[in-house]
Amino acid sequence: MTSWVELPAARVDEAARLLLGWRLRANGVTVRLTEVEAYSGLGEDPASHAHRGVTNRNAVMFGEAGRLYVYQIYGMHFCANVVCGETGRAAAVLLRAGEVVDGLETARERRPAARRDADLAAGPAKLMQVLALDRSANGTSLLDGTGPAEIIPPDKTEISEISAGPRVGVTSAHDVPWRFWIKDDPTVSAYRRHVKKTRRFADRPGGSHSG
């Protein structure tokens, strides 16, 4: 079976699907990925951070597959993407949600506001909190053991049915069906379509929350 690591950037949506069921381990907690979003950097996806080319912020997206692209939102939360595709052609998969399968007590301590265990990593910032990862993980590899996190293949080669739908919280390309999740999994985050907020005199500038 083709691995997500081997796929070209132009097939990042397929890579996203293949990442479902993989496990991400860091700092004493392991999360099984149940929801992801694909973002292309080929000039065809205005919701991507790499849509307009290389910047200091998004340079990791143009590097080797299997590295983490980490960025901050709202000045306090972190989100992580897994870089996919060939070097020089940006593409990434946002890690939206997962199930804590190891280190449950530690995850509960890191997310005391979670009412249920299913809510512990039910969102990209929540997932990062339970794994205790931040901007320092940006650019590190998930594949070679040198970074704070590692990615582990699923126990089984097949998972239950995969659903697809619009991405969450983006200000452009709202309805591109590149969000993928394991159907009926209780750890999947709630879908919220982005609504542009306005002020009395001018629209507030928008911005993607995703890779």
Side-chain angles (χ1 to χ4, degrees), residues 24-31 77 100 102-117 119-121 125-134 148-149:
L24 195 65
R25 181 165 62 198
N27 300 309
V29 172
T30 304
V31 172
H77 298 303
V100 177
D102 190 41
L104 186 58
E105 290 302 322
T106 301
R108 287 170 179 163
E109 291 173 3
R110 292 173 180 165
R111 288 265 299 124
R115 296 183 178 181
R116 307 176 303 156
D117 289 345
D119 299 328
L120 286 168
K126 296 173 183 176
L127 186 151
M128 291 291 278
Q129 288 172 354
V130 300
L131 293 172
L133 293 173
D134 57 23

Side-chain angles (χ1 to χ4, degrees), residues 40-83:
S40 172
L42 304 178
E44 300 174 354
D45 185 3
S48 171
H49 287 176
H51 180 59
R52 292 181 175 86
V54 184
T55 66
N56 288 336
R57 181 193 192 193
N58 67 26
V60 174
M61 291 181 68
F62 293 82
E64 298 177 2
R67 294 189 177 274
L68 281 178
Y69 167 48
V70 181
Y71 60 92
Q72 195 170 25
I73 58 172
Y74 306 126
M76 56 180 162
H77 298 303
F78 298 95
C79 298
N81 297 255
V82 176
V83 176

Side-chain angles (χ1 to χ4, degrees), residues 8-186:
R11 295 168 62 185
V12 66
D13 56 325
E14 296 178 49
R17 284 177 170 269
L18 290 174
L19 274 164
L20 290 172
W22 283 62
R23 292 168 291 156
L24 195 65
R25 181 165 62 198
N27 300 309
V29 172
T30 304
V31 172
R32 173 177 173 261
L33 298 175
T34 59
E35 183 185 9
V36 294
E37 283 179 347
Y39 288 86
S40 172
L42 304 178
E44 300 174 354
D45 185 3
S48 171
H49 287 176
H51 180 59
R52 292 181 175 86
V54 184
T55 66
N56 288 336
R57 181 193 192 193
N58 67 26
V60 174
M61 291 181 68
F62 293 82
E64 298 177 2
R67 294 189 177 274
L68 281 178
Y69 167 48
V70 181
Y71 60 92
Q72 195 170 25
I73 58 172
Y74 306 126
M76 56 180 162
H77 298 303
F78 298 95
C79 298
N81 297 255
V82 176
V83 176
C84 298
E86 62 273 28
T87 300
R89 301 291 299 275
V93 176
L94 175 69
L95 307 181
R96 281 210 57 86
E99 173 195 7
V100 177
V101 294
D102 190 41
L104 186 58
E105 290 302 322
T106 301
R108 287 170 179 163
E109 291 173 3
R110 292 173 180 165
R111 288 265 299 124
R115 296 183 178 181
R116 307 176 303 156
D117 289 345
D119 299 328
L120 286 168
K126 296 173 183 176
L127 186 151
M128 291 291 278
Q129 288 172 354
V130 300
L131 293 172
L133 293 173
D134 57 23
R135 191 71 168 76
S136 64
N138 186 54
T140 60
S141 176
L142 295 174
L143 305 177
D144 62 10
T146 61
E150 63 177 324
I151 197 162
I152 306 164
D155 292 329
K156 299 178 181 179
T157 56
E158 295 183 4
I159 59 175
S160 57
E161 185 178 349
I162 295 173
S163 296
R167 295 175 293 188
V168 179
V170 294
T171 59
S172 303
H174 304 278
D175 298 319
V176 174
W178 275 9
R179 180 171 61 95
F180 304 101
W181 64 94
I182 298 175
K183 186 177 180 181
D184 298 325
D185 193 288

